[in-house]
Amino acid sequence: PKVHIDKAIWVQSFASLDGGIVWQLCADSSDTVYAAGNFRELINFNPGFGLAIRHSSSDFDPYLICLDNSGAFNWVMSIPGRNIPRRQDSSHVAICGDSIAWAHGSTIDYIDYSGEVLARMEIACLMIRAFDLDAKGNAYVLCRPEFLKKYDLNGNELWSVQSSGYYAIDISS
């Protein structure tokens, strides 16, 4: 739900036969909402009257959905056959300025506001566990096994730090 001062402005749900998981939500400057997660079987991502049906081709497939600031359906993207484990937070979305990035498995897609993929990069990471962007659109990725890595917009690894726990790091470096 989108919440404003202790009251819900709108709430949406999706129709599913066997489940979907939302791992991350974020909103851009116009309050357009993006949700990233995994789903299996058959799901209708359009919470309104239309249909946006997707069928997973593996155990769990990643998705990214876009809803406008009133909760109306804009678009959904899914990647069939990625077979991402259910219990891992493995589909993430991040927004910074004009950059929207969707991380799933070991792939990062940079997309525009209409849902078109502008660039795709495969990264040296078994599974993405956490994800964010800096002001320039560079990606910061917590990988499985536990490494924190920084990638530029071309997918080049700029640095990597092995993580033995949770700690703060200056992502501007």
Side-chain angles (χ1 to χ4, degrees), residues 5-138:
I5 311 175
D6 297 328
K7 71 177 184 179
I9 296 172
W10 55 260
V11 176
Q12 293 294 12
S13 62
F14 311 115
S16 172
L17 293 177
D18 197 23
I21 299 167
V22 175
W23 289 113
Q24 191 168 9
L25 290 169
C26 66
D28 63 21
S29 60
S30 64
D31 288 335
T32 299
V33 175
Y34 302 85
N38 303 339
F39 76 101
R40 68 185 287 176
E41 300 297 331
L42 184 70
I43 189 168
N44 180 12
F45 283 100
N46 189 338
F49 296 107
L51 296 175
I53 295 174
R54 300 292 187 273
H55 190 277
S56 66
S57 61
S58 61
D59 190 22
F60 276 87
D61 289 345
Y63 72 86
L64 177 64
I65 187 170
C66 176
L67 305 173
D68 72 15
N69 60 10
S70 68
F73 176 80
N74 279 344
W75 49 261
V76 65
M77 299 169 66
S78 63
I79 308 289
R82 291 299 294 227
N83 199 22
I84 292 177
R86 177 182 184 155
R87 289 183 172 72
Q88 297 186 2
D89 46 347
S90 51
S91 185
H92 306 277
V93 60
I95 299 174
C96 188
D98 291 335
S99 297
I100 304 170
W102 176 32
H104 47 89
S106 61
T107 303
I108 298 173
D109 288 338
Y110 286 86
I111 60 175
D112 66 14
Y113 289 101
S114 69
E116 181 180 341
V117 176
L118 302 174
R120 172 170 285 161
M121 62 184 196
E122 297 291 331
I123 61 173
C125 184
L126 177 65
M127 180 70 66
I128 296 170
R129 296 178 58 89
F131 174 70
D132 206 353
L133 297 176
D134 67 11
K136 296 178 182 175
N138 295 316

